[in-house]
């Protein structure tokens, strides 16, 4: 859990310091957590009579696909939540605060980092 927290905190600090990094921290955050999810403890292999593991490739493919889906669904959730909040503010008839409007990258990256930390820490 500490490693996941350190990864999330590092990329959130990067975006806080740079203020305009063109989503580079979010991209690296996604790669870091795909790596963290993909290299979870593997399932014990099932060997055939010849001593081969027939399902290894399929299991690795499933693990990679699951890792990608988990990471990008967390990022999509954060991005859609941000957009939903902005749309709700406009629908109510208010104006969008300048802080929300100018800090989309910061808010989406921080929200993604928090959701990925929770997912990576409690998924295993």
């Amino acid at each position: 859990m500490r490693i996941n927290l350190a990864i999330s905190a590092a990329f959130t600090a990067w975006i806080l310091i740079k203020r305009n990094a063109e989503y580079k921290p979010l991209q690296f955050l996604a790669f870091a957590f795909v790596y963290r999810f993909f290299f979870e403890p593997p399932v014990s292999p099932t060997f055939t009579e010849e001593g081969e593991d027939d399902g290894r490739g399929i299991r690795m493919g499933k693990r990679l696909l699951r890792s990608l889906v988990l990471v990008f669904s967390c990022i999509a959730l954060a991005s859609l939540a941000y957009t939903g909040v902005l749309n709700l503010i406009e629908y109510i008839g208010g104006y969008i605060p300048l802080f929300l409007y100018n800090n989309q990258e910061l808010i989406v990256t921080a929200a993604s980092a928090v959701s990925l930390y929770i997912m990576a820490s409690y998924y295993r």
Side-chain angles (χ1 to χ4, degrees), residues 25-75:
L26 185 62
Q27 293 169 3
F28 289 122
L29 180 73
F31 292 135
F33 275 101
V34 165
Y35 179 81
R36 292 287 295 163
F37 283 127
F38 184 69
F39 288 106
E40 65 187 15
V43 180
S44 60
T46 306
F47 294 106
T48 61
E49 292 176 359
E50 292 83 28
E52 297 175 356
D53 185 13
D54 288 335
R56 183 173 185 265
I58 292 173
R59 281 195 309 274
M60 285 186 66
K62 286 181 182 179
R63 285 175 50 203
L64 180 61
L65 184 62
R66 181 176 53 240
S67 301
L68 291 170
V69 167
L70 287 172
V71 168
F72 290 118
S73 64
C74 287
I75 293 171

Side-chain angles (χ1 to χ4, degrees), residues 12 74 78 106-116:
T12 303
C74 287
L106 169 67
I107 294 168
V108 170
T109 301
S112 297
V114 168
S115 64
L116 285 169

Side-chain angles (χ1 to χ4, degrees), residues 15 18-27 105 109:
I15 196 72
K18 290 292 273 187
R19 294 305 254 177
N20 187 9
E22 299 175 358
Y23 284 103
K24 291 290 183 203
L26 185 62
Q27 293 169 3
E105 185 179 355
T109 301

